Amino acid sequence: MLGTRGSALALAQVELVKQALNIAGVVADIQIKKITTSGDRRSDFSAELESGAGVKGLFTKEIETALLDGSIDVAVHSCKDLPGHLAGGLEIAATLERADTADVYIGRTPFCDLDDRSAVGTSSVRRRRQLLWKNPCLVLEEMRGNVPTRIEKLRASDSLSGIVLARAGLDRLRLGLDEWIVEDLPILPAIGQGAIALECRSGDTAAAELLAKINHAATFTCIRAERELLRLLNGDCHLPVGAATKIEDDVLSMEAIIFGEEGEPPRTGKVAGSKNEPEKIAAELFKSISS
């Protein structure tokens, strides 16, 4: 039994998991349980953001509860939704191959032509801080909702010049965007962006062995590094941190950007080392951006 949120994107991601299992030759009656999370029930997260608690966990807690009580066997998550500390008794057992990690601008006007009269919609603090750092004249407006909802809000708006979304979600939903200008943005993605994380109960050997058949080793290694950095930062999506990780040959390289108080310049860092030591590389990066 696979547990997931019920959004169009979440269901598309579950289909990718099912396809991977079929390709791996797994013969099983794969059932899906759609679970409504606290984050799905709400549209206003101002209290969490103002307190610094952030909103990660609001989109995963009920799914993890179902995993712990045995209602499901595997939880399928957008990796970037997972907080730095998982619930006790759970572990990420596998990841599918990562999709494109880029953040993209979707709008009526090319991004380079935006000025101080141009409003761009995004709910991400990370995106907002990086975009304002690059172009302080931008006007960024709060925008929440799933991917199709945000695109419809843009279409219906007379004031928005564009919105910012993750390319992975657009690709997985196969949305037609021919009427819009779509451009990759020169900002670092969220930790875990583009990756589908498969979570199971610690000690559930059967589930772990099944998931090992579809685990993408390079993605899993990069996610280990990024989530260790998130853990060290005690981070959430309220924390304005972007990170990019890649493996070339046997070398894992990682860079990050993190913002402090409004108006302060960001701290940046870049490290590289053996792909066999992702947590060590994350610790070195954390040290370099914290000093």
Side-chain angles (χ1 to χ4, degrees), residues 6 22 27 38 43 63-65 70 77 81-82 88 93 98 114 120 149 157 160 163 190 204 217 229 234 238 241 252:
N22 289 332
V27 179
S38 301
S43 59
I63 301 174
E64 291 189 323
T65 298
H77 301 288
D81 286 343
L82 286 166
R98 198 172 206 167
L114 297 180
V120 176
T149 297
S157 174
L160 284 173
I163 59 175
D204 186 342
L229 177 63
N234 196 25
H238 176 70
V241 56
L252 187 153

Side-chain angles (χ1 to χ4, degrees), residues 4-264:
T4 178
R5 295 171 62 195
S7 70
L9 178 55
L11 295 176
Q13 292 179 165
V14 169
E15 285 303 313
L16 291 175
V17 175
K18 290 174 64 178
Q19 290 172 22
L21 289 168
N22 289 332
I23 291 171
V26 175
V27 179
D29 179 20
I30 302 172
Q31 299 180 26
I32 299 171
K33 183 173 184 177
K34 292 186 282 188
I35 299 170
T36 302
T37 69
S38 301
D40 295 318
R41 297 188 188 99
R42 296 172 52 186
S43 59
D44 183 6
F45 302 97
S46 56
E48 285 81 6
L49 294 175
E50 288 173 6
S51 69
V55 299
K56 278 195 179 183
L58 293 179
F59 293 97
T60 60
K61 182 179 178 181
E62 286 81 1
I63 301 174
E64 291 189 323
T65 298
L67 192 53
L68 287 168
D69 68 22
S71 300
I72 61 173
D73 302 299
V74 175
V76 182
H77 301 288
S78 291
C79 189
K80 68 177 183 178
D81 286 343
L82 286 166
H85 298 275
L86 299 180
L90 301 179
E91 63 183 42
I92 297 175
T95 54
L96 298 189
E97 184 173 4
R98 198 172 206 167
D100 192 327
T101 63
D103 286 300
V104 298
Y105 164 81
I106 304 169
R108 301 178 173 89
T109 305
F111 186 77
C112 63
D113 291 338
L114 297 180
D115 55 28
D116 58 5
R117 298 179 301 278
S118 303
V120 176
T122 177
S123 61
S124 165
V125 181
R126 170 190 60 85
R127 289 170 178 158
R128 180 174 65 83
R129 294 295 298 273
Q130 289 192 72
L131 289 172
L132 287 176
W133 178 49
K134 292 180 178 294
N135 184 353
C137 293
L138 286 178
V139 177
L140 297 177
E141 294 188 2
E142 182 75 9
M143 175 178 279
R144 294 196 175 274
N146 58 38
V147 172
T149 297
R150 295 189 200 195
I151 292 174
E152 284 307 311
K153 286 181 178 179
L154 173 60
R155 183 174 286 115
S157 174
D158 293 326
S159 60
L160 284 173
S161 297
I163 59 175
V164 182
L165 295 171
R167 182 172 287 282
L170 298 173
D171 290 346
R172 286 169 180 157
L173 288 171
R174 299 181 181 180
L175 296 175
L177 298 172
D178 293 342
E179 66 186 284
W180 303 105
I181 294 167
V182 181
E183 304 175 56
D184 285 2
L185 291 171
I187 62 176
L188 292 185
I191 286 174
Q193 186 156 310
I196 297 172
L198 304 174
E199 187 181 26
C200 68
R201 291 178 290 275
S202 301
D204 186 342
T205 305
E209 290 179 352
L210 189 71
L211 296 175
K213 297 178 184 294
I214 61 173
N215 183 48
H216 189 261
T219 298
F220 192 76
T221 298
C222 289
I223 291 304
R224 280 175 58 189
E226 291 175 27
R227 287 189 51 75
E228 176 64 7
L229 177 63
L230 182 64
R231 186 190 70 81
L232 292 169
L233 290 167
N234 196 25
D236 183 81
C237 50
H238 176 70
L239 188 69
V241 56
T245 309
K246 64 180 179 180
I247 295 175
E248 293 179 340
D249 297 323
D250 292 326
V251 176
L252 187 153
S253 58
M254 189 176 186
E255 63 177 313
I257 183 169
I258 182 169
F259 290 82
E261 297 297 325
E262 292 281 353
E264 291 183 356

